Amino acid sequence: MLATEITGNGRPVVLLHAFPLSRGMWRQQHEGLSGHCRLITPDLPGFGDSPVPHDSPSIEGMADAVVATLDSLSLTAVVLGGLSMGGYVAMAFARKYPQRLAGLILADTRSEADDDAARANRDRLIALVQQNPVSTLVEQMLPKLLGATTQDSRPEVVAVVRRLAALQSPAGIIAALAALRDRPDATTVLPTIKVPTLILVGDQDQITPLEMADRMAAAIPGSRRVLLPNAGHLSNMEQPTLFNDALREFLFSMTS
Ligand code: MLT
């Protein structure tokens, strides 16, 4: 079972974190949503308190680890959400375990696989982390991980991202970079999704911008897309109140 934080009662909602962070990135979702659902946030394999996988790392393997965690918690079907890498895992889960899905939340993510340039960049980052502290990787990523508004006016959010990322192990980061590099395209999964789906994206997201969110929204029947203002790629940390409002409204729409 993955290391997991659980707060609240009611409908189970599982949120999967981004790279190179951990379940710590959902702190404000636990504060804002635990009165509305049972919020479950695992550390994906190799991050936080979850061990690095022994076998060859893959996004599908991460989805398998999430389903094993649901089994341990005796949860049959959940609302599953993921941000960026967490969204890749959520789409792999939707393909492999559709019967375990009651709803889907895709935040600041994309269905497309890496192209050649992105794959080469993963290899460059693997070499970087093999030779340098994790903080070097974080400093390279920060300008795109956070929106301009956050970088200019919310130093506390920048500090939390730096701290969470620096806590991750080089082995976990290297395994995840290989999994990200080798992940298959998930675009064909999208039209098969039959559960209520919410797509969220920050309007300053440079890594998975609005066009990508709109392509996913067009492909998933009946999905709803919400644009979060003054937020970059880590929209749940940059605009937690708006992010939580959108999730609450989505969960409410599932019951009414
Ligand atoms: C993430 O935020 O999880 C990463 O940006 C995903 C990626 O690099 O593809």
Side-chain angles (χ1 to χ4, degrees), residues 17-21 83-88 108-110 114 122 125 141 145 177 180 183 207-208 233-234:
H17 63 81
F19 174 89
L21 303 177
L83 192 142
S84 198
M85 176 178 76
Y88 307 158
D108 301 280
T109 192
R110 61 154 79 90
D114 279 10
R122 304 285 189 201
L125 294 177
M141 292 185 70
L145 268 182
L177 281 165
L180 290 165
R183 76 186 191 283
I207 297 179
T208 50
H233 188 58
L234 298 178

Side-chain angles (χ1 to χ4, degrees), residues 19-20 44-47 50-62 85 88-89 114 122-123 125-127 129-130 134 137 168-183:
F19 174 89
L44 289 168
F47 293 92
S50 292
V52 181
H54 292 302
D55 46 356
S56 53
S58 70
I59 295 296
E60 184 178 320
M62 292 189 189
M85 176 178 76
Y88 307 158
V89 179
D114 279 10
R122 304 285 189 201
D123 288 334
L125 294 177
I126 288 172
V129 177
Q130 280 165 342
V134 170
L137 169 83
Q168 307 313 314
S169 72
I173 289 202
I174 289 167
L177 281 165
L180 290 165
R181 178 194 62 203
D182 299 337
R183 76 186 191 283

Side-chain angles (χ1 to χ4, degrees), residues 40-238:
I40 300 155
T41 54
D43 282 330
L44 289 168
F47 293 92
D49 297 319
S50 292
V52 181
H54 292 302
D55 46 356
S56 53
S58 70
I59 295 296
E60 184 178 320
M62 292 189 189
D64 294 340
V66 171
V67 97
T69 303
L70 301 189
D71 290 343
S72 302
L73 295 170
S74 303
L75 292 169
T76 47
V78 299
V79 175
L80 180 64
L83 192 142
S84 198
M85 176 178 76
Y88 307 158
V89 179
M91 284 181 264
F93 185 104
R95 184 183 64 70
K96 200 165 175 187
Y97 305 107
Q99 72 285 4
R100 308 293 295 268
L101 211 54
L104 183 63
I105 300 160
L106 298 173
D108 301 280
T109 192
R110 61 154 79 90
S111 62
E112 295 90 358
D114 279 10
D115 61 17
D116 288 345
R119 284 197 189 100
N121 194 46
R122 304 285 189 201
D123 288 334
R124 184 185 67 79
L125 294 177
I126 288 172
L128 182 82
V129 177
Q130 280 165 342
Q131 288 152 23
N132 297 277
V134 170
S135 57
T136 315
L137 169 83
V138 183
E139 293 310 314
Q140 288 203 7
M141 292 185 70
L142 264 178
K144 284 194 173 174
L145 268 182
L146 294 169
T149 306
T150 301
Q151 295 191 52
D152 291 347
S153 59
R154 298 177 198 129
E156 67 288 357
V157 177
V158 183
V160 173
V161 172
R162 276 204 173 100
R163 184 177 59 77
L164 287 178
L167 286 171
Q168 307 313 314
S169 72
I173 289 202
I174 289 167
L177 281 165
L180 290 165
R181 178 194 62 203
D182 299 337
R183 76 186 191 283
D185 194 286
T187 306
T188 55
V189 180
L190 304 180
T192 71
I193 293 171
K194 303 228 172 352
V195 293
T197 300
L198 173 67
I199 296 171
L200 294 160
V201 60
D203 67 349
Q204 298 174 5
D205 187 341
Q206 298 177 60
I207 297 179
T208 50
L210 177 60
E211 309 86 79
M212 289 180 171
D214 279 342
R215 280 204 291 275
M216 292 192 299
I220 302 178
S223 61
R224 172 143 190 265
R225 194 269 287 146
V226 173
L227 184 65
L228 299 169
N230 296 318
H233 188 58
L234 298 178
S235 62
N236 71 304
M237 302 178 78
E238 298 182 56

